[in-house]
Amino acid sequence: MPYSVKGIQADPRAYLDKIDEMARSPRFVLRRDLVKRLMEVLRVRDVFEITPQYLSNITASQLLQNGITTVAITELQDWLSEHGLSLKKCAPESDQDVKEVRRALALLEVFHFDTENARRQLSHVLSDEA
């Protein structure tokens, strides 16, 4: 690809496609240690295999069970949301999941967010498990 302004103007689509490819690559967006850990957990050989579409088929519970921190999960969720995607939705599956949900609700409360509906949903989910 030419690097001159004239070359870019002649074929802007190629450059826009390259920028889009970079925005979708965890190698350029996510922390290096998180990408390395994801490659281990997901058992992929190439960083370019970790796409937003691929990650959208994985639940937060699966990531937590494999040692991915909640901070890293929120980072992944933010990245996915930039592409109109999300980690796969699921109810909390373990005590650790419930603990993390409760911690998230507590954090929202201290920043003066209304968590009433979320607490009600959590209570409903937990009563269904009993």
Side-chain angles (χ1 to χ4, degrees):
M1 289 177 35
Y3 293 105
S4 69
V5 173
K6 192 175 191 177
I8 293 171
Q9 289 173 339
D11 189 13
R13 184 79 251 151
Y15 290 88
L16 293 173
D17 289 345
K18 197 64 159 168
I19 290 169
D20 186 52
E21 178 185 324
M22 289 175 65
R24 291 184 181 279
S25 171
R27 189 171 112 204
F28 300 108
V29 180
L30 302 174
R31 291 178 286 118
R32 183 179 303 150
D33 59 329
L34 174 54
V35 172
K36 182 180 175 190
R37 184 71 181 116
L38 281 174
M39 289 180 69
E40 293 169 2
V41 167
L42 302 175
R43 296 186 178 117
V44 297
R45 293 178 188 227
D46 190 321
V47 68
F48 291 104
E49 293 180 59
I50 304 172
T51 64
Q53 291 77 14
Y54 182 88
L55 280 178
S56 70
N57 291 301
I58 298 170
T59 67
S61 292
Q62 290 171 309
L63 294 172
L64 282 171
Q65 290 168 7
N66 284 284
I68 303 295
T69 66
T70 54
V71 171
I73 290 170
T74 59
E75 186 177 334
L76 293 171
Q77 181 66 14
D78 283 344
W79 181 53
L80 291 175
S81 69
E82 290 173 8
H83 297 284
L85 297 168
S86 172
L87 289 170
K88 187 174 181 180
K89 306 286 189 215
C90 75
E93 297 175 354
S94 69
D95 290 342
Q96 181 186 10
D97 293 352
V98 172
K99 178 182 173 184
E100 295 302 337
V101 170
R102 286 186 171 138
R103 288 174 65 186
L105 289 170
L107 183 62
L108 287 170
E109 284 177 344
V110 299
F111 285 110
H112 202 27
F113 282 84
D114 181 2
T115 61
E116 185 179 338
N117 287 335
R119 286 198 178 279
R120 196 171 23 256
Q121 286 177 314
L122 178 60
S123 178
H124 178 72
V125 166
L126 295 177
S127 68
D128 284 351
E129 292 178 357

